[in-house]
Amino acid sequence: MSNAPALTLADRAAAQARALPPLLVEAERIAATVILGEHGRRRAGPGESFWQYRHYSFGDSTQRIDWHKSARSTHVYIRENEWEAANTLWVWSSPSVSMTFKSHLARVTKRERAQLLALAIASLAVRASERVSALGSPHAPDHTRAQLIKLAQWFMTAEGSALPGLTRMPRFSGAVLAGDFLEPVEDIARAITPLAEAGVRGHLVQVVDPAEETLPYSGRVEFHGMSGPLKFLSSRAETLREAYARKLAEHRAALRELCRRIGWSFLIHRTDEPPTGTLLALHALISGEAGR
């Protein structure tokens, strides 16, 4: 009988481990490959110079507790060091129907990869003691691993429009938006320009399937719209390739110009490529290293 509580606790722990979203497991594995750089601005994070104390909160590692400071108080204190980062990082992954596309050239859908990138960069921010949340989610910004679990679960069930809705965010927050961004550039501008005008430093990541870049089809092919009855039958699909590539290049040029105009960055990620390269680029941009 004396072992019953321990067995119950072990069963609960095992159940929680099994319930951990696979998306989070993969995101944290990828985040672990990125080494946090050195930063000079006074922000909390994993530097060597002391910055401030704060109260311990659920999810903080006990290894970060300052026991000398805590012993002289009724509170438990965490010691924070300097880091350059946004006050809060907001992530967003497009729930658009078009994001469910996966060709024979890729192993994952665009939605799966966009969610992975968003959660991995959020994991990096949490490791640096920065608060994170997701645009449109019911979860207030937090800096604990428990927050990552909430965001992973929310990503897996989230529904919404193809572009992010207007969200009030503190000035100097950061935002990473991952989607295919195939909508008209005017619509994208209406969605993200208010964020930039509010002082949000953003990063647009266009996630595409390799087939959407190369149009690798030949012969008689019928193309179907993913969100409606639209369809087009081509007797020689290979003849469309040049015009298609030109339209895609024009669309991307307009996206780059939009991001340049509002002071945001623009990256492209293909689902047949490892996510690490894009994550490294995002981390460098957010931490400010890209401009040094």
Side-chain angles (χ1 to χ4, degrees):
M1 293 295 294
S2 59
N3 290 332
L7 290 174
T8 300
L9 182 60
D11 289 341
R12 289 172 56 191
Q16 289 181 349
R18 288 194 299 269
L20 195 65
L23 173 63
L24 177 57
V25 175
E26 179 67 6
E28 292 204 307
R29 183 189 69 80
I30 294 171
T33 66
V34 178
I35 301 175
L36 295 177
E38 296 180 357
H39 310 275
R41 193 171 159 190
R42 296 180 73 80
R43 288 280 187 261
E48 296 182 355
S49 302
F50 171 73
W51 170 229
Q52 67 180 3
Y53 290 111
R54 65 169 172 80
H55 290 171
Y56 174 88
S57 61
F58 176 75
D60 284 326
S61 170
T62 56
Q63 295 179 347
R64 302 180 59 218
I65 295 176
D66 189 302
W67 295 107
H68 294 288
K69 173 74 173 177
S70 302
R72 299 192 297 270
S73 172
T74 57
H75 297 286
V76 177
Y77 285 94
I78 294 291
R79 180 184 178 91
E80 291 188 329
N81 296 330
E82 292 183 9
W83 193 50
E84 177 183 28
N87 292 321
T88 302
L89 178 66
W90 300 80
V91 295
W92 179 82
S93 173
S94 173
S96 170
V97 174
S98 66
M99 294 293 289
T100 62
F101 177 69
K102 179 177 74 69
S103 74
H104 64 287
L105 300 177
R107 293 190 299 174
V108 297
T109 67
K110 295 186 291 183
R111 177 164 180 163
E112 289 171 319
R113 182 53 57 82
Q115 291 175 343
L116 180 62
L117 288 170
L119 197 59
I121 198 67
S123 176
L124 281 173
V126 166
R127 290 167 186 243
S129 299
E130 291 299 317
R131 297 183 304 157
V132 299
S133 189
L135 290 177
S137 81
H139 306 298
D142 196 4
H143 63 273
T144 65
R145 189 170 185 272
Q147 176 79 340
L148 294 177
I149 298 175
K150 294 177 184 177
L151 296 185
Q153 293 172 335
W154 184 79
F155 272 145
M156 293 163 62
T157 58
E159 297 180 355
S161 61
L163 293 171
L166 183 60
T167 303
R168 293 181 62 87
M169 291 184 282
R171 189 171 178 81
F172 303 125
S173 292
V176 173
L177 313 182
D180 55 18
F181 297 108
L182 297 176
E183 296 76 23
V185 175
E186 295 78 11
D187 293 346
I188 299 172
R190 279 193 292 269
I192 68 175
T193 300
L195 299 178
E197 291 175 343
V200 175
R201 295 171 292 187
H203 309 277
L204 217 65
V205 183
Q206 186 182 45
V207 180
V208 295
D209 187 278
E212 292 177 316
E213 284 207 323
T214 60
L215 200 67
Y217 307 111
S218 300
R220 184 181 177 88
V221 178
E222 186 173 70
F223 298 92
H224 291 261
M226 300 191 68
S227 58
L230 179 66
K231 61 181 180 180
F232 172 73
L233 177 63
S234 174
S235 58
R236 296 180 61 196
E238 65 273 15
T239 63
L240 305 174
R241 200 167 294 142
E242 184 177 345
Y244 175 85
R246 184 168 57 251
K247 292 294 292 184
L248 179 61
E250 291 173 356
H251 183 74
R252 283 181 171 169
L255 281 177
R256 286 193 180 92
E257 173 58 23
L258 168 62
C259 290
R260 186 202 62 78
R261 191 169 66 247
I262 66 176
W264 283 26
S265 71
F266 176 70
L267 295 89
I268 298 171
H269 176 78
R270 282 176 40 153
T271 55
D272 62 335
E273 297 175 347
T276 312
T278 300
L279 184 59
L280 282 165
L282 273 176
H283 178 261
L285 287 165
I286 292 172
S287 65
E289 292 180 356
R292 295 184 182 179

